[in-house]
Amino acid sequence: MTDQRAQADTLTYTRVFSAPRELVFRCMIEPEHLTHFWGPKGVSAPLEHIKVDARPGGVFETVMVDDAGGGRYPTRAVYVEVAEPERLVWTETHSGMTMTATFVDLGDARTEVHIRQTNVPEAFHNPQAQAGFATSLDRFAAYVGNLSNESG
Amino acid sequence: MTAIDDRLDATFTALADPTRRAIVARLAQGDATVNELAGPFAMTLPGISKHLKVLERCGLISRTRRAQFRPCHLEREALDAAVDWIEESRRTWTERFDKLDEHLRELHNERFPTTGEQAHD
């Protein structure tokens, strides 16, 4: 499957980190690392609630805590593939979405991480759909723009 | 992190079809009758009607009941819900990666307290 096809099929997020691939991969499966970044802005992922059994069929559980309101949101996923340090695949049990994280060694202690989100709502699977929305909805156009500019 | 509720699921399923997406894109520019919608798609009126019914059922469009014109109207809120879901998903990863970037920086600084200095064990 080429990159182009991967992007046409799924939602993709890419980021380059200034760290060696082995370390970036460990960050994604070790609770001591995950607790520092797994919750998005304004949301914590307390260490004591992160459960990782990084092997196919193993669980990946967290409790997200809203810093402001204190709301707690448990999440649960099951690992599908753990191929250290290249690839990590897990399926969220609440949404049915599958995430594939690919770790590319760029040399020079830099690592590119691709996240592919599949089983996402069908509407956004192909470029026609994106083009259709881009011509009519400013918000969606902005979204598609951000997505393609994000690889830096 | 957001569970997809049934309504949103139905919306995305409805939008899975390219013709229906094109109809939604057309209606985003303003209301249109079935005849106006059928024009660009080289489809029969019953064919278009079938698509409109799917869009109507999930609440993406509404139609007035008067006469045969029955202009179709895009329900922005239903569409926004779908777009919001995508945006939130993207935001989650962006913010998560921002934090990971910072975490990696801190790990690096712990290991190499002074910039330019070699590791010392």
Side-chain angles (χ1 to χ4, degrees):
Chain A
M1 196 194 275
T2 67
D3 281 352
Q4 259 180 340
R5 165 134 176 91
Q7 295 201 346
D9 273 342
T10 59
L11 286 178
T12 311
Y13 315 97
T14 301
R15 184 71 71 91
V16 175
F17 297 99
S18 295
R21 177 163 72 159
E22 286 70 19
L23 175 59
V24 178
F25 188 94
R26 296 310 295 180
C27 280
M28 294 287 277
I29 57 167
E30 286 182 3
E32 292 74 13
H33 289 304
L34 285 163
T35 189
H36 289 279
F37 71 91
W38 196 250
K41 205 172 166 186
V43 178
S44 303
L47 179 59
E48 64 268 29
H49 297 303
I50 301 179
K51 207 161 134 190
V52 172
D53 180 11
R55 57 187 168 145
V59 296
F60 171 31
E61 291 175 359
T62 70
V63 175
M64 300 288 195
V65 180
D66 180 17
D67 294 340
R72 297 160 64 85
Y73 309 95
T75 69
R76 188 170 197 278
V78 174
Y79 290 108
V80 177
E81 185 184 350
V82 180
E84 188 168 359
E86 288 119 33
R87 195 166 49 252
L88 189 61
V89 184
W90 67 97
T91 297
E92 294 182 356
T93 43
H94 63 287
S95 67
M97 283 190 300
T98 295
M99 310 289 194
T100 301
T102 310
F103 303 77
V104 182
D105 186 350
L106 298 179
D108 216 14
R110 291 187 316 135
T111 306
E112 188 170 80
V113 179
H114 296 280
I115 302 287
R116 287 179 48 219
Q117 198 165 324
T118 54
N119 290 345
V120 298
E122 292 280 329
F124 299 94
H125 276 193
N126 69 52
Q128 280 162 299
Q130 298 182 346
F133 279 105
T135 53
S136 56
L137 293 177
D138 290 341
R139 296 179 66 194
F140 194 72
Y143 160 70
V144 172
N146 286 339
L147 205 60
S148 53
N149 289 335
E150 215 172 65
S151 50
Chain B
M1 231 165 318
T2 315
I4 310 170
D5 63 26
D6 291 347
R7 175 79 168 200
L8 201 47
D9 235 5
T11 303
F12 281 119
T13 305
L15 288 172
D17 180 89
T19 304
R20 289 197 288 269
R21 286 196 296 272
I23 291 172
V24 168
R26 165 62 187 85
L27 290 176
Q29 291 156 13
D31 294 0
T33 63
V34 178
N35 275 314
E36 288 165 340
L37 288 172
F41 299 115
M43 279 188 82
T44 59
L45 288 183
I48 285 288
S49 288
K50 215 181 278 177
H51 286 305
L52 292 177
K53 268 181 201 138
V54 175
L55 291 169
E56 202 172 13
R57 221 178 294 138
C58 72
L60 266 172
I61 69 166
S62 59
R63 283 187 281 183
T64 53
R65 294 289 162 196
R66 65 188 164 84
Q68 72 269 41
F69 298 110
R70 303 182 68 197
C72 301
H73 175 75
L74 178 67
E75 294 297 331
R76 286 283 181 161
E77 279 179 23
L79 186 60
D80 283 350
V83 174
D84 284 350
W85 184 89
I86 293 291
E87 285 182 338
E88 184 179 322
S89 188
R90 184 180 65 80
R91 194 168 51 237
T92 296
W93 278 107
T94 300
E95 292 171 359
R96 196 174 268 167
F97 279 165
D98 286 347
K99 283 188 180 179
L100 175 55
D101 200 36
E102 197 180 319
H103 175 59
L104 288 166
R105 240 181 269 272
E106 277 165 16
L107 288 178
H108 185 268
N109 290 342
E110 278 168 27
R111 192 156 171 221
F112 306 106
T114 315
T115 36
E117 204 180 306
Q118 291 298 309
H120 50 279
D121 292 275

